[in-house]
Amino acid sequence: MIRSLYALFIIFIMLPSVAYGFNNGAIILSKNIIPYRTAADSFKRQLPHIKFNEYLLDDMQRTTEQILEELKNEKDDFILLGIGPEAALLLDRGNFKTDHIFFSMVLNPEKLIKKKKNL
């Protein structure tokens, strides 16, 4: 519980100051479930000046590889936010042009994430 509150404090207090210079971002949701959707909506409310594109991993219209390619081809520096374990794994696999990568709602991220440099 305390760990969760600490994480929320960091995200909602520190992220707006980090995100001040950005206009674009991407939110990757592992699944379309209420807790993940609530987290995504909260980020959008906290950072209203950023235009977020949303990607849903359990959507059948795009494959994970297509989403990964779209994110890799972003021209500008942008913010990436993964919500859920599958989204965190996708962010771990990617070689993105941005170093501003965050993830949320992942149980035991230290066991899930292999790269530690910018996640």
Side-chain angles (χ1 to χ4, degrees):
M1 175 74 170
I2 293 175
R3 210 169 151 192
S4 297
L5 291 174
Y6 180 68
L8 287 174
F9 171 78
I10 288 174
I11 288 170
F12 289 114
I13 301 301
M14 300 301 289
L15 189 59
S17 63
V18 169
Y20 182 72
F22 297 97
N23 296 322
N24 297 317
I27 297 177
I28 300 104
L29 294 137
S30 293
K31 297 179 187 204
N32 194 17
I33 58 175
I34 292 172
Y36 293 171
R37 176 67 46 206
T38 302
D41 292 343
S42 297
F43 277 99
K44 288 180 187 176
R45 274 196 310 275
Q46 292 297 317
L47 303 168
H49 62 283
I50 296 178
K51 180 187 169 284
F52 283 104
N53 293 322
E54 278 193 20
Y55 299 90
L56 185 59
L57 294 182
D58 68 352
D59 187 4
M60 295 299 175
Q61 293 178 354
R62 288 188 217 158
T63 66
T64 307
E65 294 305 318
Q66 289 172 325
I67 293 171
L68 200 54
E69 274 306 307
E70 276 185 49
L71 294 172
K72 284 181 182 179
N73 291 331
E74 278 289 327
K75 294 178 184 119
D76 299 325
D77 200 13
F78 62 106
I79 291 178
L80 275 172
L81 171 65
I83 301 176
E86 293 86 0
L89 279 172
L90 180 73
L91 294 178
D92 188 42
R93 279 181 34 209
N95 224 358
F96 303 108
K97 294 177 184 171
T98 185
D99 287 331
H100 301 87
I101 302 172
F102 303 89
F103 62 89
S104 177
M105 302 191 81
V106 178
L107 187 62
N108 296 325
E110 59 278 354
K111 292 182 181 177
L112 185 68
I113 304 298
K114 305 293 182 231
K115 285 192 280 184
K116 304 261 192 248
K117 67 175 190 172
N118 65 345
L119 285 181

